[in-house]
Amino acid sequence: MNLTRPLSLVAIAAAALALTACGDKDSGHAQKTEGEIKSTVGDITGDKDLQKEGKKDEVVGGVKSAGEDLKAAAKDAKD
């Protein structure tokens, strides 16, 4: 039985809980950070699927984050 994936998911869950405890409400930044964690755990454990999933989350989170930053900048400029 391969325990790599369940242990990886435990590490990701712990990191996600830590992000929540830090109060990171910005979903784009949180998703990007979670992706970085998944990717790193995938690298360490050799889990190629987790690495790919992490890279995808990093990109999606980065795009969301950029959109959120742009929206905030537009609001600040308007005020």
Side-chain angles (χ1 to χ4, degrees), residues 59-70:
V59 171
V60 172
V63 171
K64 280 184 183 178
S65 179
E68 292 162 355
D69 292 346
L70 183 61

Side-chain angles (χ1 to χ4, degrees), residues 29-74:
H29 288 286
Q31 185 172 7
K32 184 177 178 186
T33 303
E34 185 177 345
E36 291 168 354
I37 293 166
K38 284 182 182 179
S39 181
T40 301
V41 171
D43 289 341
I44 292 168
T45 61
D47 187 336
K48 299 290 185 194
D49 291 334
L50 191 58
Q51 287 173 331
K52 289 178 189 175
E53 187 178 327
K55 293 293 181 189
K56 181 192 74 142
D57 285 346
E58 284 183 63
V59 171
V60 172
V63 171
K64 280 184 183 178
S65 179
E68 292 162 355
D69 292 346
L70 183 61
K71 185 177 175 181

